[in-house]
């Protein structure tokens, strides 16, 4: 079973993402912000990280930059799930090591299709 780390400061968004992924057969761990996610990631390994961009304590782009610096996460796919659709944010995300970008509100089928592409 593939393990996914879902990071979002919105509890309702985490629940929606988690519900969608668990229903599709994934093992999901939730984190409330980038600091929380980084601590969880340092003591676990995941097959995929899905993160919001705008969060308190540590934003998603900074989180991805930190994760890419860890040996276990060099090649792990990382998707940004965010309301941000501006090119500047996307460029910053890509530069930090984001694999893909999904704009909220997300369509569960689209989310699962994107995950299917990156988890081959």
């Amino acid at each position: 079973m593939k393990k996914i780390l879902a990071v979002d400061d919105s509890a309702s968004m985490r629940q929606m993402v988690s519900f969608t992924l668990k229903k599709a057969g994934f093992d999901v761990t939730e984190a409330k912000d980038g600091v929380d996610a980084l601590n969880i990631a340092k003591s676990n390994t995941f097959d995929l990280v899905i993160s919001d961009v705008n969060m308190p304590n540590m934003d998603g782009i900074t989180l991805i930059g930190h994760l890419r610096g860890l040996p276990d996460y060099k090649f792990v796919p990382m998707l940004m799930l965010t309301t941000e659709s501006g090119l500047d944010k996307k460029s910053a995300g890509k530069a930090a090591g984001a694999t893909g970008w999904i704009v909220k509100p997300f369509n569960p089928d689209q989310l699962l299709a994107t995950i299917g592409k990156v988890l081959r």
Side-chain angles (χ1 to χ4, degrees):
M1 184 185 292
K2 297 282 187 184
K3 292 172 62 177
I4 299 177
L5 178 59
V7 191
D8 202 304
D9 57 323
S10 159
S12 59
M13 184 53 71
R14 277 197 315 272
Q15 286 170 341
M16 253 185 341
V17 169
S18 193
F19 176 78
T20 300
L21 299 177
K22 284 178 179 171
K23 213 170 81 173
F26 294 104
D27 178 6
V28 183
T29 301
E30 297 178 20
K32 65 184 183 310
D33 61 37
V35 173
D36 190 28
L38 190 57
N39 288 331
I40 292 169
K42 283 179 177 173
S43 57
N44 298 274
T45 53
F46 294 93
D47 300 295
L48 173 68
V49 177
I50 300 174
S51 178
D52 186 16
V53 170
N54 298 315
M55 298 180 289
N57 305 318
M58 184 191 295
D59 67 86
I61 292 171
T62 304
L63 168 64
I64 285 181
H66 283 298
L67 288 173
R68 286 290 181 223
L70 300 173
D72 287 345
Y73 290 91
K74 246 182 192 30
F75 304 108
V76 169
M78 299 187 195
L79 299 175
M80 304 308 300
L81 179 62
T82 178
T83 54
E84 295 282 348
S85 58
L87 283 176
D88 54 334
K89 285 281 189 192
K90 284 185 180 176
S91 298
K94 203 164 256 172
T99 311
W101 202 271
I102 301 168
V103 178
K104 292 178 194 170
F106 73 95
N107 167 321
D109 294 335
Q110 177 207 6
L111 177 64
L112 293 172
T114 304
I115 290 170
K117 283 182 195 147
V118 299
L119 279 183
R120 280 198 195 136

